[in-house]
Amino acid sequence: MTNKTMQNDLAVKFRKLHIPGEPLVLTNVYDAATASIIAEHPSTKAIATGSYAVAASQGITDDKLTLPQNLATVRSIAAVLKADGGGLPRIPLTVDVQDGYEDVAATIREIIALGAVGCNLEDFDSANNRLRPMSQAVERIQLAMQAARGAGVPDFAINARTDVLLMLDGQDGGSVEDAIERGRAYLEAGACTVFVWGGSARGVSKQEVQRLVEAFAGRLNVKMNLREGYLTVPELREIGVARISLGPELYHAAMKAFKEKADAVLAHCG
């Protein structure tokens, strides 16, 4: 069995983990240390990176994270997931590639070369600070899947994120119906799941999650907040989502604990 056949088998395994009503829970990591911790947990089925925390751990904002900086982190994460330091990651690895950068096909080839079998891909154009036209976003998903097939991983799993709900330059965001239109087009273009991002201010309500689950036949990713008043894993399971991610939630928790311990020590210093 060739290495690429084995990598596509991992991609198939990863896709099969997305079951509406039995969601895959991804506790997003941001460096080799956090990847090692999550990989060793008995409930972990796959490893996912989160660009916000990857960037923050390097002292930069999410929108300043370059492809080389992102790849350097992915390389270190992939290395700790490989048995005996070689071959493929022992469990599926999916990478947050933001908007895919300038050449989305080249980006996909790069992360596949590092062992990834999936990615997050946004429809927001970071270089021009605008939402991409839907036709262009669809084309980029198609280009990404074409690149994956060319790299020997035809079952590569894209989690297609849409930012259509977000307010931009003082203009109100779109509606859930707009998100549904985009999401269905992205699934048709080859995406595995759709991630409707409502932003930290707006969010996505329970009723909206229910509507999106219905529209996408459950093929929805929801970013979960680890705070009171937000939907929990059992609630999201009951609604019927296929995938749950934490984004930067664990990063924020880790930094809070770090600061609290540091403050406790430094409080005794002059």
Side-chain angles (χ1 to χ4, degrees), residues 43-169:
S43 295
T44 295
K45 295 180 173 65
I47 296 291
T49 70
S51 67
Y52 178 99
V54 168
S57 66
Q58 298 181 49
I60 56 178
T61 58
D62 197 7
D63 62 325
K64 298 298 183 184
L65 183 68
T66 66
L67 177 58
Q69 289 170 321
N70 201 348
L71 291 175
T73 296
V74 176
R75 188 172 293 108
S76 67
I77 289 171
V80 301
L81 298 178
K82 295 176 181 178
D84 303 320
L88 292 168
R90 60 187 183 274
I91 56 177
L93 170 64
T94 183
V95 176
D96 185 348
V97 296
Q98 301 179 297
D99 67 352
Y101 303 96
E102 185 175 356
D103 186 339
V104 67
T107 298
I108 299 305
R109 288 191 291 268
E110 290 265 25
I111 63 169
I112 286 176
L114 294 176
V117 295
C119 77
N120 265 35
L121 183 61
E122 304 168 7
D123 61 6
F124 187 78
D125 181 354
S126 295
N128 296 296
N129 194 39
R130 65 180 179 89
L131 189 71
R132 293 185 188 277
M134 187 170 71
S135 60
Q136 186 183 99
V138 165
E139 181 182 18
R140 287 173 69 82
I141 291 171
Q142 292 170 334
L143 286 171
M145 289 305 299
Q146 182 180 351
R149 288 191 293 271
V153 189
D155 290 290
F156 188 82
I158 295 177
N159 185 40
R161 171 176 141 175
T162 179
D163 286 10
V164 71
L165 297 182
L166 298 183
M167 179 181 289
L168 183 64
D169 291 333

